[in-house]
Amino acid sequence: MKQVIQMAVVLTLICTICGAALSGIRSITAERIVYQRLINVQGPNVEDVLKGSENDLIAERESVEIDGEEILLFVGKKNDRPWAVAYETSAAGFGGELTIMVGYDLEKDKLTGLKIGTNSETAGVGSRVTQDPFTKQFKGLDIDLKFTGGPCPVGVDAISGATVSSMAVSEALKKSVALYPKIKEAVL
Amino acid sequence: MGLMREFTKGLWKDLAPFRVVLGLCPILAVTKEAETGLGMGIGVIFVLTCSNVIISSIRNIIPRQVRIAGFIVIIASFVTMVELFSQAYFYPIYQKLGIFIPLIVVNCIILGRAEAFASRNGVIASALDGLGIGLGYTMSLVLLGSIREILGAGTIFGVDMMWASFRPFTFMAEAPGAFVSLGLLLGIMNAVSRKS
Amino acid sequence: MDYIILIISSLLINNILLAQFLGNCPFLGTSKRMDTAIGMGIAVIFVLTIACIVTFWVQHKVLDPLGIDYLQTVSFILVIAALVQLVEMFLRKFAKPLYTALGIFLPLITTNCAVMGAALLIIRKEYTFTQGVVFAIASASGFTLALILMAGIRERLEISDVPLALRGTAIGLITAGLMALAFFGFQGMDAALTALVRS
């Protein structure tokens, strides 16, 4: 009996100490981890769609609440005045959720660029939507998107054989554009 | 002098994974580049040394029947620390190592040292043992990583090494190259140690 | 149809052993003879599938709701270790023949990184429950497939004239490399298969 109690006490003690140590380290590193993730995962996409900005895009990120949903905004500034904004939206792709980062020019109300973030599209087929030849077509599009039955808006050629992935990008883009008026209001 | 031997044995006599065939998965998976191999090695040194120290200092308190469970909790905690620190300070390496950071916990070298050495020896000896074995393992990781990076990409630690017209062997960068180069290296080590 | 792609992908294209390097220690350790290879393979299919179901539940019902996902590594390894013990006890009591066949392999499975690796991959790839189970069974079968193929080759290596320095693990690794090269041929299938299923 004494042995069983000793076993239980020692194991509980080890687990408690380890748990406490880990939660301590977790709370110290949590903030840095979030920041590192932003820089390394979303950072390159933000830099790309807001090219020409003069401020530190990641450090000056802000979050706004729109229709009860928290959205992380990256505001690009020139001469200390906001000229463009970028944020993420997502839609169901072929292999899971597909996230896009879209940048908007606040004066001209046009897209400054579109980049694909996290996705699990099939390598070699659907994954081609993540590549430049496809994504750079969105640059300069008007926010008033026109659809004429194809999977992608007018002015953008879908990837043949990857209709689902192309449509997922369009779905996410529709959501993104729908949010734009409210976000523009929040930024300016 | 005895303590010094605990340290140096990991560098040749018990060199993992060449002399003691343990810890093969990470050495195959993360040695596409020398840099990721080094990152993995540092993680292993940290976990191995810390867990050895803690385990040897509680070796007389912990009941025999539950020792393995206790060892696993302690090792897993240190692995989680590596996971958190690497995310906070070395994010690009964390991304490249992927699931192989949490998988340090099932690296047989660590549980093996805890059971075979740290639970039977003093704190200082265990620390030196962990440091030595970890360093030896890191050397192996960096060695294989360098070979594969030089032949597979023509670079080492990202710096160009080969002449301009060098065409990298894609074979070395992919899975088959990992198995074959480790096998050949193991053969060379066997030949060398048989001679000496 | 997606499940067919998932099965073929995890069985052949991204074989857990030969392409993802998970579970190499037992691979080289138990592939010397055919009967041990089969025993180990079946034990892995069994434990890996159960472990993935349990860890999936732990992640989505315990760790995520409580916001303690940083305890993932600790809880997963404990769950797997406890599970292996339970399976061992259960088999000893209720399935004696199975226990005599697989018993000696079970303790080895706790430190088999294929089990922990598959459990982690299911969470990282954000699979649904069904996808996770299919992935687990297909991956474990891929492990068994590679293990049995390897055992067949190694039984023949026993009687061939291998250079002294390469005997044992070294030639095993080189053989595994050549097998990985053969499996590498499946790489392009992914895209072709997807196109086929779509059309």
Side-chain angles (χ1 to χ4, degrees):
Chain A
M1 195 57 207
K2 198 179 154 225
Q3 237 185 344
V4 176
I5 295 174
Q6 195 196 0
M7 268 157 51
V9 168
V10 171
L11 268 191
T12 321
L13 217 61
I14 292 177
C15 290
T16 320
I17 294 172
C18 288
L22 286 182
S23 72
I25 291 176
R26 163 76 184 182
S27 59
I28 297 169
T29 51
E31 208 170 303
R32 256 198 85 92
I33 290 175
V34 173
Y35 186 61
Q36 287 288 320
R37 214 173 262 167
L38 278 175
I39 289 185
N40 288 289
V41 181
Q42 287 150 314
N45 286 348
V46 176
E47 302 279 340
D48 195 89
V49 296
L50 297 183
K51 208 176 280 165
S53 305
E54 289 158 355
N55 55 332
D56 185 343
L57 295 164
I58 305 290
E60 292 176 29
R61 68 187 186 276
E62 47 191 289
S63 83
V64 291
E65 208 183 290
I66 288 173
D67 300 335
E69 225 178 308
E70 193 116 327
I71 294 174
L72 200 57
L73 294 183
F74 301 91
V75 182
K77 289 179 182 160
K78 273 179 186 165
N79 303 323
D80 275 335
R81 284 191 40 213
W83 75 280
V85 64
Y87 50 91
E88 278 192 329
T89 47
S90 63
F94 186 60
E97 189 148 87
L98 179 141
T99 316
I100 60 167
M101 174 73 70
V102 185
Y104 296 91
D105 189 319
L106 290 164
E107 279 155 39
K108 297 179 196 147
D109 288 340
K110 281 182 191 301
L111 270 65
T112 58
L114 180 148
K115 278 277 182 184
I116 313 290
T118 50
N119 69 89
S120 1
E121 302 311 295
T122 319
V125 189
S127 69
R128 277 186 294 162
V129 300
T130 62
Q131 290 161 0
D132 269 351
F134 179 74
T135 53
K136 74 169 188 224
Q137 299 182 89
F138 289 91
K139 193 175 177 180
L141 282 188
D142 204 86
I143 58 153
D144 185 21
L145 298 169
K146 289 179 194 70
F147 285 88
T148 51
C152 290
V154 173
V156 176
D157 294 325
I159 302 247
S160 58
T163 321
V164 180
S165 305
S166 307
M167 269 165 77
V169 175
S170 297
E171 273 317 303
L173 181 59
K174 277 183 203 165
K175 281 189 207 167
S176 178
V177 171
L179 284 169
Y180 176 70
K182 284 180 183 168
I183 285 181
K184 183 178 181 179
E185 212 172 286
V187 174
L188 295 178
Chain B
M1 272 338 273
L3 282 176
M4 217 41 223
R5 207 176 302 133
E6 304 299 356
F7 178 68
T8 51
K9 70 170 188 262
L11 303 179
W12 179 246
K13 196 168 87 45
D14 288 338
L15 180 65
F18 295 115
R19 307 296 297 274
V20 187
V21 186
L22 287 175
L24 287 176
C25 303
I27 208 162
L28 290 164
V30 305
T31 52
K32 194 171 171 178
E33 294 159 24
E35 194 191 8
T36 46
L38 183 64
M40 181 56 144
I42 292 171
V44 171
I45 293 180
F46 174 80
V47 175
L48 193 53
T49 312
C50 296
S51 65
N52 261 7
V53 167
I54 302 289
I55 285 165
S56 87
S57 57
I58 62 162
R59 70 184 188 280
N60 295 324
I61 316 169
I62 192 162
R64 279 197 64 75
Q65 297 89 328
V66 292
R67 69 181 193 291
I68 299 288
F71 295 170
I72 289 179
V73 175
I74 291 166
I75 294 169
S77 304
F78 284 115
V79 171
T80 311
M81 286 179 202
V82 171
E83 227 180 320
L84 291 172
F85 282 134
S86 62
Q87 264 185 84
Y89 298 98
F90 308 99
Y91 202 87
I93 295 219
Y94 166 82
Q95 274 178 310
K96 279 189 195 162
L97 290 177
I99 63 162
F100 286 94
I101 296 181
L103 284 180
I104 297 177
V105 78
V106 282
N107 190 324
C108 344
I109 297 175
I110 296 172
L111 194 60
R113 291 326 286 176
E115 169 69 1
F117 195 91
S119 63
R120 300 194 177 118
N121 288 282
V123 176
I124 296 170
S126 300
L128 288 171
D129 173 78
L131 219 55
I133 300 271
L135 209 59
Y137 190 57
T138 309
M139 280 175 5
S140 312
L141 281 164
V142 174
L143 175 67
L144 191 65
S146 310
I147 294 174
R148 285 184 64 199
E149 196 182 334
I150 289 177
L151 295 176
T155 60
I156 183 163
F157 286 103
V159 183
D160 266 326
M161 277 296 287
M162 305 302 257
W163 55 96
S165 61
F166 172 75
R167 291 210 34 168
F169 315 167
T170 323
F171 174 75
M172 291 303 279
E174 301 294 345
F179 284 104
V180 173
S181 47
L182 183 62
L184 289 176
L185 215 53
L186 194 62
I188 295 170
M189 291 281 179
N190 284 346
V192 170
S193 60
R194 190 167 291 121
K195 281 232 174 73
S196 59
Chain C
M1 284 319 247
D2 285 2
Y3 290 115
I4 296 176
I5 299 178
L6 183 64
I7 289 171
I8 294 184
S9 163
S10 36
L11 190 65
L12 298 175
I13 304 165
N14 287 313
N15 186 288
I16 196 161
L17 234 167
L18 298 170
Q20 314 220 39
F21 310 106
L22 295 170
N24 270 292
C25 298
F27 175 58
L28 292 163
T30 59
S31 63
K32 287 199 185 94
R33 286 178 49 209
M34 188 57 94
D35 49 349
T36 48
I38 293 174
M40 184 66 179
I42 294 171
V44 166
I45 295 183
F46 193 57
V47 173
L48 195 147
T49 311
I50 302 176
C52 286
I53 293 172
V54 178
T55 50
F56 188 88
W57 185 84
V58 167
Q59 177 77 29
H60 290 279
K61 296 282 181 254
V62 182
L63 297 180
D64 282 347
L66 292 177
I68 47 168
D69 53 337
Y70 60 96
L71 290 179
Q72 192 190 47
T73 314
V74 183
S75 49
F76 277 25
I77 187 71
L78 281 179
V79 164
I80 291 169
L83 195 76
V84 171
Q85 290 279 315
L86 274 179
V87 168
E88 199 180 343
M89 271 161 25
F90 180 83
L91 288 185
R92 189 158 46 195
K93 194 130 196 194
F94 299 106
K96 201 76 184 181
L98 207 58
Y99 177 75
T100 25
L102 305 181
I104 48 162
F105 302 108
L106 287 172
L108 283 172
I109 291 178
T110 311
T111 51
N112 182 342
C113 45
V115 178
M116 176 93 168
L120 288 168
L121 279 175
I122 288 173
I123 306 298
R124 297 239 167 151
K125 292 192 171 176
E126 295 178 0
Y127 283 143
T128 61
F129 181 74
T130 334
Q131 281 175 328
V133 174
V134 171
F135 174 81
I137 296 173
S139 296
S141 310
F143 179 88
T144 310
L145 177 72
L147 192 63
I148 290 173
L149 288 176
M150 182 72 171
I153 300 174
R154 281 185 96 172
E155 280 189 342
R156 295 203 144 202
L157 275 178
E158 286 290 300
I159 48 168
S160 52
D161 188 21
V162 178
L164 211 58
L166 290 179
R167 281 195 189 152
T169 315
I171 193 72
L173 279 165
I174 294 171
T175 316
L178 297 178
M179 270 176 69
L181 197 59
F183 271 69
F184 209 61
F186 291 120
Q187 289 275 331
M189 251 174 74
D190 208 359
L193 205 72
T194 316
L196 197 75
V197 169
R198 289 286 180 67
S199 62

